[in-house]
Amino acid sequence: RLKLSPVKELRGFRGKKFKEENVQVSGTRKIIGSDKIDLAKAEILFEIKNLHPTVYTFTLSNEVGDELVFGYNHENRQFFINRGKAGNTGFSENFGNQISLAPRAYEENSLKGTIILDKTSLELFFDDGKTVMTEIHFPNSPYTTLNFEVENEEVTLDLIEVHEINTN
């Protein structure tokens, strides 16, 4: 099986850092806003050690109503990215009308991920790179909030670590 991971040189561009452990989530919880980290250029690491049969959803949003939604459905064992409300999608009727899906190949009851955000691109590395997804998106304004949501469960987000990427 082929595995992919972000280049290790990316760590050399890490700037401001936000980190929390053992975050209890029931419903929707704001993780971080752009007042702490620029979400247009960020690396996000997360870990959930005990998965429940539910949907785990991250949502990037802004003040003009754009939303980029991605995560993992543990019942269906599928990762997903939904860019249907992620800003400018009108240039093609097919751009935002389908949810991107990827099956999970890893059998563990835990989940680790790395999320790379770069203005108009999203890269997801799940299970140490055993499943990787990439999408472009065109928000009308930079994303200002990252939320995490679970359906019908209370779960622990064991680790959430966000690094601003300094490229200038």
Side-chain angles (χ1 to χ4, degrees):
R1 178 162 281 275
L2 181 65
K3 286 175 41 175
L4 300 172
S5 59
V7 295
K8 60 185 170 192
E9 290 82 5
L10 183 63
R11 291 184 206 125
F13 292 96
R14 287 178 174 172
K16 289 189 254 179
K17 176 182 174 180
F18 168 87
K19 181 178 178 180
E20 282 193 22
E21 296 181 34
N22 301 314
V23 178
Q24 298 300 309
V25 180
S26 177
T28 302
R29 180 169 179 160
K30 179 181 175 180
I31 299 298
I32 194 166
S34 61
D35 57 327
K36 294 187 180 180
I37 300 284
D38 183 355
L39 295 173
K41 51 182 185 168
E43 175 188 28
I44 302 165
L45 311 169
F46 73 91
E47 183 174 2
I48 303 165
K49 292 181 180 174
N50 186 21
L51 293 174
H52 297 268
T54 189
V55 179
Y56 300 84
T57 303
F58 288 95
T59 302
L60 284 163
S61 60
N62 59 27
E63 290 86 12
V64 297
D66 298 337
E67 291 185 340
L68 179 61
V69 179
F70 52 93
Y72 175 61
N73 182 327
H74 190 49
E75 288 183 299
N76 296 342
R77 299 188 48 78
Q78 286 186 322
F79 298 103
F80 60 89
I81 301 173
N82 183 346
R83 58 186 181 174
K85 296 180 185 177
N88 184 5
T89 60
F91 55 87
S92 169
E93 66 181 52
N94 296 321
F95 183 78
N97 68 352
Q98 285 194 349
I99 297 173
S100 298
L101 300 172
R104 187 174 194 203
Y106 199 55
E107 297 295 329
E108 293 292 319
N109 197 42
S110 61
L111 178 63
K112 287 174 60 175
T114 301
I115 303 161
I116 307 293
L117 303 170
D118 184 20
K119 291 187 184 178
T120 62
S121 68
L122 169 72
E123 293 185 85
L124 305 173
F125 300 84
F126 295 110
D127 298 325
D128 296 317
K130 291 178 181 157
T131 304
V132 177
M133 300 177 76
T134 301
E135 289 288 1
I136 59 172
H137 54 93
F138 303 104
N140 292 303
S141 177
Y143 292 117
T144 55
T145 304
L146 175 67
N147 287 331
F148 181 69
E149 178 182 358
V150 292
E151 295 180 357
N152 306 317
E153 293 283 343
E154 181 173 330
V155 301
T156 301
L157 184 56
D158 295 283
L159 170 71
I160 184 77
E161 186 174 318
V162 185
H163 298 270
E164 188 167 296
I165 299 173
N166 295 325
T167 56
N168 297 340

